[in-house]
Amino acid sequence: MIAREKLENNQVFLYVIVLLLAVVVGLFTPTIGKQLDVTISFVIAILMYSMFSQIPFTSLKESFSNRRFIGALLTVNYIAVPIIVWLLTMLLPDHPPLLLGVYLVLLTPCIDYVIVFTALGRGNEKAMLVSTPILFITQMLLLPFYLWLFIGDEAANIVEPQPFLEAFLELIIIPLLLAIALQLFAKKSSAGDKIINLSAWLPVPFMALTLFIIVSSQIGKLSTSIDWIIRVIPIYIAFMIIMPFISKLIGKWFKLDIESGRALIFSGSTRNSLVVLPLALSLPNHLNTLVAAIIVTQTIVEIIGEIFYIRIVPNLILRK
């Protein structure tokens, strides 16, 4: 237990080292990075299982009645976020592929590793877990509308539900069912209990592995679109600075408790880059490279931001 606590207490340092290593591998040995690309979903699924396995599902029932949290969550992600994104993108050139990439990634709330970051940031990860089906359905329905509103008919038509469905099944449902099955097994068998205890070691190393694979496999795509990337980085940073404070205000408006307020901050600030990336890659060749690069850039900015979030949110922005 002492060794695991030491690992958890030093996770931020570990993530920084992993990010630096991933940048080096992705830039100087691109072949390795491309080979790692196919493992992204598998590694995230294991990360999700490791997180789910530590959540006591017998107490989840109370979270379903938390209507204030759900109301705050929908308000942040589908009213506040679109307004902030629209205002921020007014600072960008009127270049459709650029705007499409920014809108795709910033208008979709995360449904997977936000749960992990919420837990690391001492937020209510159970409330986030329960909300994932709602966030999934609502973003799938509303993203085409927002793309049509901000860009036009052509952009809205590219959003297909299949990538969302596949990601939700692979990254949420399967790991969740496995974790529940093992928890039920643990009640009847000491072997199951040992598996659950062993799973408690997985979140930090698999988060590090996930960061390494995403960055090393995708960073090479940034070099071909560097002029546009330089323009969007300040937008992404501004988004990550602004949204925690807006989410905090909305959380107070809905009278959320501290842990739920932190979860709201993480949801409002963490985007669905890993799920919308397949949408970008499915675009015509003259569009997909730039749109994918814009999305991957947000992933890198966000990952760095989350490393700060897990300390800043509970210790500065929303303290007990």
Side-chain angles (χ1 to χ4, degrees):
M1 178 65 69
I2 295 176
R4 197 179 85 206
E5 288 180 353
K6 187 175 181 180
L7 177 65
E8 292 172 349
N9 291 335
N10 290 280
Q11 60 191 281
V12 174
F13 176 73
L14 173 63
Y15 296 157
V16 171
I17 297 298
V18 166
L19 279 173
L20 293 174
L21 181 61
V23 170
V24 172
V25 171
L27 292 178
F28 294 99
T29 57
T31 302
I32 295 177
K34 290 179 181 178
Q35 291 173 345
L36 291 173
D37 192 24
V38 297
T39 67
I40 290 177
S41 295
F42 178 71
V43 172
I44 292 177
I46 296 178
L47 176 64
M48 289 296 99
Y49 156 74
S50 69
M51 190 64 222
F52 294 154
S53 68
Q54 304 309 305
I55 297 175
F57 288 101
T58 54
S59 63
L60 275 177
K61 186 177 179 180
E62 63 192 53
S63 298
F64 282 98
S65 61
N66 193 351
R67 295 181 181 178
R68 284 205 302 267
F69 178 73
I70 298 299
L73 198 69
L74 296 177
T75 301
V76 165
N77 282 297
Y78 301 121
I79 297 178
V81 166
I83 292 172
I84 295 301
V85 170
W86 177 70
L87 291 173
L88 288 174
T89 52
M90 291 178 69
L91 302 174
L92 291 173
D94 186 15
H95 184 56
L98 174 72
L99 294 174
L100 179 58
V102 173
Y103 286 137
L104 275 173
V105 72
L106 290 187
L107 290 173
T108 49
C110 185
I111 58 171
D112 38 68
Y113 65 33
V114 65
I115 302 167
V116 177
F117 283 123
T118 300
L120 294 175
R122 287 180 274 163
N124 188 343
E125 74 273 15
K126 290 190 292 183
M128 277 307 311
L129 171 63
V130 171
S131 71
T132 55
I134 297 173
L135 288 179
F136 163 68
I137 294 170
T138 49
Q139 71 183 250
M140 191 169 63
L141 293 174
L142 291 175
L143 180 58
F145 166 72
Y146 281 122
L147 291 179
W148 168 80
L149 184 65
F150 293 155
I151 300 180
D153 295 330
E154 184 178 351
N157 290 335
I158 73 161
V159 181
E160 300 291 339
Q162 184 176 353
F164 287 93
L165 290 170
E166 291 177 353
F168 190 66
L169 176 64
E170 296 173 1
L171 305 182
I172 298 293
I173 297 299
I174 294 176
L176 176 61
L177 293 178
L178 179 59
I180 293 174
L182 282 173
Q183 286 192 14
L184 293 174
F185 179 57
K187 290 184 176 181
K188 301 178 181 180
S189 169
S190 59
D193 190 52
K194 289 180 180 179
I195 294 174
I196 294 295
N197 290 332
L198 181 62
S199 299
W201 285 84
L202 298 180
V204 174
F206 267 87
M207 175 61 73
L209 181 60
T210 301
L211 300 183
F212 176 80
I213 290 176
I214 292 172
V215 174
S216 63
S217 64
Q218 303 298 319
I219 197 169
K221 298 177 181 179
L222 306 187
S223 59
T224 59
S225 308
I226 192 66
D227 291 341
W228 295 113
I229 286 169
I230 291 172
R231 294 172 181 265
V232 298
I233 287 176
I235 300 300
Y236 293 150
I237 294 174
F239 180 85
M240 294 205 74
I241 292 173
I242 294 168
M243 281 312 304
F245 296 99
I246 291 179
S247 299
K248 178 182 177 180
L249 289 174
I250 293 174
K252 286 186 176 181
W253 183 34
F254 278 86
K255 299 180 180 180
L256 300 183
D257 59 76
I258 296 294
E259 286 76 16
S260 296
R262 291 171 182 164
L264 187 68
I265 289 173
F266 277 97
S267 180
S269 307
T270 309
R271 305 290 89 194
N272 215 353
S273 54
L274 300 182
V275 175
V276 297
L277 189 57
L279 292 176
L281 296 175
S282 66
L283 293 172
N285 291 334
H286 68 285
L287 292 176
N288 61 19
T289 299
L290 175 57
V291 177
I294 296 301
I295 291 173
V296 170
T297 299
Q298 191 277 336
T299 303
I300 295 173
V301 172
E302 179 177 271
I303 288 170
I304 296 171
E306 296 286 352
I307 292 172
F308 289 100
Y309 271 8
I310 60 177
R311 292 294 180 89
I312 293 174
V313 170
N315 295 321
L316 292 177
I317 296 178
L318 201 56
R319 295 185 296 177
K320 283 191 175 181

